[in-house]
Amino acid sequence: MCRHHPPCPAADAPDREAAKVITSALSQGWAALCNGVIVFEDTGELLPDGRVIAPHRPAAQSDRPAVRAKGLRTQATAQRSSTPARALSPPFPRGARAGLRTISNRPLGARAPRRRPHVDTVPGMTNDDHKNAPASEQDLRDDMVRELIEKGALRSPGVVAAFRKVPRHLVASGVEMAKCYSVEEPLITKTDSSGVHISSVSAPRIQAIQIEQADIQPGMNVLEIGSGGVNAAYLAELVGERGNVVTVDIDPEVAQRAKGFIKDTGYRNVTIICDDGGNGAIDHQPFDRIVVTVQAADIPSSWLHQLTTEGRLVVPLRMRGMTRTIAFVRDDHRLISDGVELCGFVPMQGAGENRMQVVLIHDVPGEEVGLRLDGHPEPDTKALAAALRTPRTEAWSGVMLAGDESNEHLDLWLTTALDNLPLMAAEPAARERGLVASASPLGVPTLVDGDSFAYRTVRRTEDPDRFELGALGHGPRGQQVAERLAAEMRTWDREHRGDRAHIEVYPAGTPDDQLPAGRVIDRQHSRVTISWP
């Protein structure tokens, strides 16, 4: 339900139990196979001529070898895990508030200065067992830390110290040590009988982003949802000997592996529990901080109730298909956002499981095109399939993005303002055939209106560092739908480009008149609101 615009009956459709979608690697992007889910590190969106622009990262940072992915599926082909995949976003310019990124205070394409912590003032380590680590091992950790600082993922001296000292390579025997300290590489720790990776330890960059968001201080009691061992060790370093870390995972094998890592590394202030993380850890409450390392579509009441007043909850929250790791601060019965980062995680399992669904509008093997649904109305797939076969129309907004400028805030505005905006996923062959002109690892926001639809795209301008936002439409009313989408891009540029979304979480059943104006996402346990200044 949107409270910026007139309500649409379809917008109140109940959330659906959805199947996992494993999408394919983009033909000119990079991919990593994490936890049975293909998580992409693309340089941006594919243009109609096959080239790639980089709204999510400078092109110079995209020169990693590709791991080719499996095809688009409408059924789950891999199991879940309670550990996160790597983040999908590169470093962005930082905003004035911790955890927020801004583009409003610089010209398009200009780079913001990076903030560097004073690494020579880092505190000592809780566990001293690894003081005499081989020089090559410590060199790898120091190199990892320097790169994380350069990328803006590490900012606080205490977090820098933890990342310099935890021997993360011990969690993955048989894996090349250098790979264990690559800032963008998750460590695969579990594979199913078909060879699909179903569990991993997150890449250092996503771990650093979340831990910085959590603002953990010595002596705190911290709950981690989703175990892997390494992240718990980082948390243990930060809370120190007077603090405590409790980590919960539903998978017995994952929990056992975490126990082994914690034992091997000698941390005495970490408790590992095998249970459904949606229940929290009631015997160890209250918690000053809760860090969730799996994608959640809902906020269980147990997390709120087990959090101290003014405590912080960091969670990768999925909102209408778009996932952001959000730092929330508790304010009595509600949670208020205090930092938002673009990311990608594997979904939660257990009682809190809530999967997205994909419906195909083009089902030719190898060139599938589908829509990812997350509480969106059921589309008329036959009508949309017919629409896809019609010539596309164009609507250009006049709004420009720089080549390394993120569109993450635009997309959040679009999903706030427009009722029926699922995400379009497509195989590379579909783009090569000209069925679609844009593709993205995050999914392309797509406005659906009955038998017609339009999706966000970009085109080059005379300036090589400027790209114009627009929409491509299909169907009997494709032009009108594309114009509506382009109009919202202009609204964002005119009224909200310098703003950041404000996200709050209220208990399910909270009356509408007690919610802020904006988009309301109803889940089983909570009502999530996205609003703008």
Side-chain angles (χ1 to χ4, degrees):
M1 180 174 64
C2 179
R3 300 175 67 215
H4 274 303
H5 296 266
C8 171
D12 293 327
D15 294 331
R16 306 182 49 150
E17 193 69 22
K20 178 185 289 185
V21 182
I22 299 185
T23 56
S24 67
L26 299 177
S27 60
Q28 298 193 39
W30 312 120
L33 182 59
C34 305
N35 302 352
V37 177
I38 302 301
V39 181
F40 297 89
E41 286 196 331
D42 189 35
T43 52
E45 293 189 354
L46 294 176
L47 295 171
D49 65 2
R51 296 185 63 189
V52 183
I53 71 161
H56 291 296
R57 72 170 69 239
Q61 297 180 14
S62 65
D63 54 351
R64 286 184 291 276
V67 179
R68 291 301 172 192
K70 297 185 179 181
L72 185 67
R73 299 287 190 269
T74 55
Q75 299 296 326
T77 60
Q79 298 296 318
R80 304 167 305 281
S81 170
S82 295
T83 52
R86 73 206 296 175
L88 297 178
S89 61
F92 300 102
R94 293 279 165 187
R97 296 173 63 192
L100 289 180
R101 294 176 169 130
T102 181
I103 57 176
S104 61
N105 59 353
R106 65 183 177 98
L108 284 176
R111 303 290 180 85
R114 295 185 177 97
R115 297 174 59 189
R116 300 170 182 265
H118 298 290
V119 295
D120 57 340
T121 62
V122 294
M125 185 178 178
T126 301
N127 171 20
D128 294 330
D129 292 349
H130 303 285
K131 280 184 176 179
N132 300 318
S136 59
E137 175 186 320
Q138 187 61 55
D139 287 345
L140 289 171
R141 282 198 289 274
D142 290 343
D143 289 344
M144 174 191 70
V145 166
R146 278 190 288 270
E147 187 172 355
L148 290 171
I149 293 171
E150 288 293 326
K151 289 178 176 291
L154 285 180
R155 304 186 304 276
S156 305
V159 183
V160 170
F163 275 69
R164 287 179 64 186
K165 296 181 181 180
V166 172
R168 62 182 290 119
H169 65 281
L170 297 181
V171 81
S173 59
V175 177
E176 182 183 0
M177 188 180 296
K179 182 177 180 180
C180 296
Y181 292 99
S182 173
V183 299
E184 303 289 358
E185 289 287 342
L187 303 179
I188 306 302
T189 55
K190 186 175 181 180
T191 304
D192 69 10
S193 58
S194 64
V196 174
H197 304 311
I198 59 176
S199 177
S200 76
V201 173
S202 294
R205 186 166 61 85
I206 187 60
Q207 291 179 316
I209 287 171
Q210 282 206 306
I211 291 173
E212 289 283 9
Q213 284 184 310
D215 188 26
I216 295 167
Q217 302 299 322
M220 284 186 169
N221 190 29
V222 178
L223 172 64
E224 179 191 33
I225 306 296
S227 302
V230 174
N231 206 60
Y234 290 143
L235 299 176
E237 284 286 343
L238 291 167
V239 301
E241 294 180 353
R242 295 182 295 106
N244 188 58
V245 175
V246 178
T247 180
V248 181
D249 200 288
I250 198 171
D251 187 325
E253 186 175 341
V254 172
Q256 189 60 40
R257 184 187 70 238
K259 287 181 180 179
F261 178 83
I262 293 302
K263 180 180 179 181
D264 291 344
T265 50
Y267 290 95
R268 298 173 294 277
N269 56 346
V270 178
T271 301
I272 297 108
I273 300 173
C274 185
D275 199 357
D276 189 337
N279 300 324
I282 192 169
D283 293 338
H284 299 268
Q285 66 169 325
F287 296 101
D288 302 292
R289 301 288 189 265
I290 298 177
V291 179
V292 182
T293 62
V294 289
Q295 180 198 89
D298 197 358
I299 303 296
S301 58
S302 59
W303 295 352
L304 177 67
H305 295 154
Q306 293 176 27
L307 192 63
T308 60
T309 302
E310 299 184 354
R312 293 175 75 87
L313 166 68
V314 176
V315 56
L317 186 62
R318 194 183 79 225
M319 302 165 290
R320 309 189 82 215
M322 300 180 187
T323 302
R324 304 290 188 270
T325 179
I326 306 172
F328 287 108
V329 177
R330 181 177 179 180
D331 179 24
D332 194 19
H333 65 287
R334 65 175 179 167
L335 297 167
I336 301 174
S337 65
D338 186 40
V340 180
E341 298 276 3
L342 185 65
C343 68
F345 285 79
V346 296
M348 192 171 182
Q349 58 179 313
E353 179 181 336
N354 184 324
R355 297 295 185 90
M356 287 194 293
Q357 180 187 14
V358 64
V359 295
L360 294 181
I361 60 175
H362 182 73
D363 60 0
V364 175
E367 57 184 47
E368 293 94 338
V369 178
L371 296 174
R372 297 175 186 166
L373 308 179
D374 183 19
H376 300 93
E378 183 76 26
D380 185 340
T381 54
K382 290 184 179 180
L384 296 182
L388 185 61
R389 293 191 292 269
T390 65
R392 61 175 174 251
T393 61
E394 302 178 357
W396 298 101
S397 67
V399 178
M400 303 296 170
L401 286 180
D404 63 349
E405 186 177 349
S406 173
N407 53 31
E408 60 181 297
H409 306 295
L410 165 66
D411 288 352
L412 270 182
W413 165 254
L414 293 176
T415 202
T416 304
L418 298 168
D419 286 316
N420 194 4
L421 194 81
L423 302 177
M424 183 177 69
E427 291 280 7
R431 182 197 56 77
E432 293 163 5
R433 273 201 55 199
L435 291 171
V436 296
S438 292
S440 169
L442 305 179
V444 178
T446 301
L447 180 60
V448 177
D449 187 354
D451 58 0
S452 303
F453 68 94
Y455 56 92
R456 173 177 53 69
T457 190
V458 293
R459 68 178 177 184
R460 290 180 182 80
T461 66
E462 293 181 357
D463 186 331
D465 193 44
R466 296 291 185 273
F467 300 88
E468 184 181 3
L469 288 162
L472 301 180
H474 289 269
R477 289 172 294 108
Q479 183 65 47
Q480 295 94 314
V481 179
E483 292 288 356
R484 285 171 54 199
L485 189 55
E488 286 300 341
M489 296 173 186
R490 287 188 288 270
T491 299
W492 168 77
D493 182 56
R494 183 177 61 252
E495 300 179 10
H496 298 292
R497 187 162 189 154
D499 299 328
R500 295 297 174 259
H502 181 77
I503 301 164
E504 298 188 10
V505 179
Y506 293 78
T510 301
D512 286 352
D513 60 6
Q514 296 181 21
L515 302 178
R519 172 67 55 181
V520 179
I521 304 169
D522 284 308
R523 303 296 196 187
Q524 179 181 358
H525 302 291
S526 64
R527 307 193 76 187
V528 180
T529 67
I530 310 174
S531 59
W532 296 77

